[in-house]
Amino acid sequence: LPNEDTNILDTYKEKALKRFEIAYVAESYYGDALSFYLEQKDENEYDIEVKKNNQEVVVRSKVIFK
């Protein structure tokens, strides 16, 4: 995760999960390098993307806490 100041695990320990969305955009295969990108939209909302080989987005996700 590129932004070390954004720690979703700390938020997860402190707050209840309100909503979790996940969209599988493309397939990845054994041997693909997967990179995770996290963006905090506001105090309770995070967007997550998973890219394969640092190029193609394979998963988009949103996590919202109460």
Side-chain angles (χ1 to χ4, degrees):
L1 302 171
N3 184 355
E4 295 177 11
D5 294 336
T6 305
N7 193 337
I8 194 170
L9 294 178
D10 288 342
T11 305
Y12 181 73
K13 291 175 186 175
E14 297 170 1
K15 298 183 179 184
L17 189 61
K18 178 179 179 181
R19 184 176 180 92
F20 177 76
E21 301 173 6
I22 190 163
Y24 298 96
V25 181
E27 293 183 352
S28 61
Y29 301 96
Y30 180 80
D32 288 339
L34 300 178
S35 302
F36 292 75
Y37 297 89
L38 174 68
E39 180 182 358
Q40 187 170 6
K41 302 302 279 185
D42 64 32
E43 182 181 342
N44 295 318
E45 185 176 330
Y46 296 83
D47 286 346
I48 302 167
E49 276 191 346
V50 180
K51 292 184 179 181
K52 82 174 164 185
N53 303 320
N54 260 345
Q55 297 175 12
E56 183 180 7
V57 175
V58 293
V59 175
R60 285 192 180 97
S61 179
K62 179 178 292 292
V63 180
I64 301 173
F65 294 96
K66 291 182 182 179

